[in-house]
Amino acid sequence: MLKLYKCIDSGSEYCTCSLSDTKDCISCSHLRGDDLCDCTWNGVCILYEYIMKNGSQNNYRRDYKGQIVDKKFISNELYLLKIKLDNKLIRKLDTIGSYVFIRKDCNSPYYNTPMSIFDLDEHHIYIVYQEIGPKTKKINKGDTLIIKGPYWGGLIGTSDLSKKENCSIVIVARGIGQSSILLPIKKLYLKGNNIVLFLDQGKTSSLYCLDFMKGVNIKTILIDSLSNEGEKTLKNYIKGNPVDVLISAGADMVHRQMKTIIETIDKSIEWFVSNNSIICCGEGVCGACLKKIENGDRIKLCKTIIDPRNIY
Ligand code: FES
């Protein structure tokens, strides 16, 4: 039976990882203790890599130090951080779906909190977050942070979104979901894709992502995505225009709404969603992000590449 998923770290410098030592590898059936290979991975064989490394894992993601050079209030409990960071890590984060774990250097690793990369430049990353719990309160300008990364599973979908060229792409972003669309928009725009953004401020009362889109010429339609009128506007657009890819960034209810729209209008649309799972370790170890899919498999959403139709 064709496997529905693979690991986002397959073939990267972080493969193989500690999951292969415990026979929990996401992509390689041999490294889960099976006799047969059922992987659909066509890069370097993961089992071969594991054997060549003699089973020793020394390629863990490491902690970097970063410094908050600016903190701006956006609205409600929403803030923008500008963080000065080692540009070796910034280069690795310059990709769609990237995120990091952040904590203040005076706090224990219990405070590690995953945050999407909103934007970046040569020396800084920008993060928009809600100050709503013990992990995110009391983060202030001037603070030194411990930043662990890079992680790449911030957007879930089957193919490599960064390779899309000259496609028609619809992006639906609501509320804090705006934090995960800026990098995709900038990168996809440079590849000649025709992007239409349906933007809903949701509970944030802010359309902050628009302030960072200078030089990016895309059509933006403001909607209340959960209202009948908003849904009608979106449906009419999808019905009347060719759409190759739809990206939804927002709460699970937005993803479920998009799934229904895709399934009723055009099942061939390729779908990507912001990763809303509870992410604690990001390494497939703790199980916080575990989700049971229709065929009974339990997948770890922090590391798994899968069609979101299987999880919504
Ligand atoms: S966050 Fe720990 S297994 Fe996914």
Side-chain angles (χ1 to χ4, degrees), residues 278-290 300-303:
I278 296 169
I279 291 183
C280 192
C281 69
E283 302 284 356
V285 175
C286 72
C289 63
L290 213 60
K300 292 162 180 169
L301 286 172
C302 63
K303 271 175 87 84

Side-chain angles (χ1 to χ4, degrees), residues 1 83 182 222 227 244 266-267 279 291 299:
M1 193 172 55
I83 302 167
L182 190 65
L222 303 185
S227 70
D244 304 306
D266 182 357
K267 288 196 175 109
I279 291 183
K291 179 100 179 172
I299 56 163

